[in-house]
Every structure is written in C-alpha cells, then in structure tokens.
Amino acid sequence: MLSDPRFSAEVSIKVPFHDVDAMGVVWHGNYFRYFEVAREALLDQFGYGYRAMKASGFVWPVVDTRVKYRGPLTFEQQILVRASVKEFENRLKIGYQIVDAASGKCTTTGYTIQVAVDAATGEMSYVSPDVLFERMGIRP
C-alpha cells in the first residue's frame, strides 16, 4: 500500500549560500528546512497539504524528529531530498533521505512525526482523522 508512488516525493535543491556556515558546510538546523520542502511536496501529492489540513479542521504539529548526518552538504551542492510516508494510522511519520545528486551517495536520513490536533478544541487525536485516510485513498 505505501509503495504507491503518491506516498513518496523527491525534490531537488541547490544548497544556497545563506544555508552554510563560515566553513561552507550546511548548518545542522537547515536540514529540517530541506525535510519541510520535501514533506510539502509529498502531502500535496495526495491532496492533503497544509491548506487542506487547515480546511479540514486539523493542524498537524511535528511532535518528534530525528536526523542522522552521514556526510556534509556544502554550498552549491545539488541534492535530492526524498520524503515517504512510513506510518499513518495513529500519527503521520514521514521518513527522509538526502542524497548527493551527482554521486547518489546518501548524506542524511531522518524522520518527523506529526499528530492530528483538532483546530477548534486544541485536543490531540489518538487516531488519524478520517480525512487523512480519504485523501490517501485508503477508506471512502
């Protein structure tokens, strides 16, 4: 089911100057921005991007994240950032992989976990809302 191409996305990014430190290496916190760009592309693929989430009455804050730095990213390096749905029943877990576009070498892996929160009440849902399943085409 999660092998459906709609549940994976890939974006290409050329590392900008403002993302690197004095040594020309991407500052560690910027990796989460790259994850975010890929996550937005992924969610849009199955019609549940951030505007659709808000319109459905739910917000989905990130409650947990992890990143493993396997190799540095540098100024003007062309990278591919891949995002894929790993879990969706009770939370939305998205896995990430950053690879060097030229060599295909994996430089970074990670994940984020988001939970559904009712926008009107602020209450966290312990099961993903039906709208997520509908958008994913899993349940009518």
Side-chain angles (χ1 to χ4, degrees):
M1 192 340 271
L2 289 178
S3 62
D4 184 318
R6 292 177 308 134
F7 305 134
S8 293
E10 180 177 276
V11 296
S12 178
I13 297 172
K14 183 176 179 180
V15 174
F17 179 74
H18 63 263
D19 282 359
V20 300
D21 61 19
M23 296 176 286
V25 175
V26 171
W27 177 68
H28 67 278
N30 285 326
Y31 287 75
F32 294 103
R33 291 179 44 243
Y34 303 153
F35 288 177
E36 178 69 26
V37 171
R39 181 169 59 240
E40 286 181 71
L42 171 64
L43 296 171
D44 285 343
Q45 279 187 175
F46 56 89
Y48 200 53
Y50 291 118
R51 290 189 191 279
M53 286 178 176
K54 185 176 180 183
S56 75
F58 291 93
V59 294
W60 290 76
V62 171
V63 296
D64 191 10
T65 189
R66 167 106 158 88
V67 63
K68 178 153 179 83
Y69 307 99
R70 300 173 181 263
L73 298 177
T74 58
F75 174 54
E76 293 186 328
Q77 182 176 2
Q78 193 69 42
I79 59 174
L80 301 173
V81 186
R82 299 177 181 140
S84 57
V85 176
K86 299 297 183 189
E87 297 176 22
F88 58 89
E89 292 90 353
N90 300 314
R91 60 189 188 170
L92 190 55
K93 182 176 183 180
I94 299 174
Y96 304 93
Q97 184 179 52
I98 300 177
V99 299
D100 176 72
S103 69
K105 180 182 176 187
C106 179
T107 65
T108 315
T109 57
Y111 66 79
T112 55
I113 295 174
Q114 295 170 258
V115 295
V117 174
D118 185 300
T121 66
E123 292 184 31
M124 185 174 79
S125 178
Y126 292 98
V127 177
S128 293
D130 288 341
V131 65
L132 175 64
F133 296 102
E134 291 165 8
R135 296 296 177 110
M136 292 179 76
I138 296 169
R139 291 191 240 183

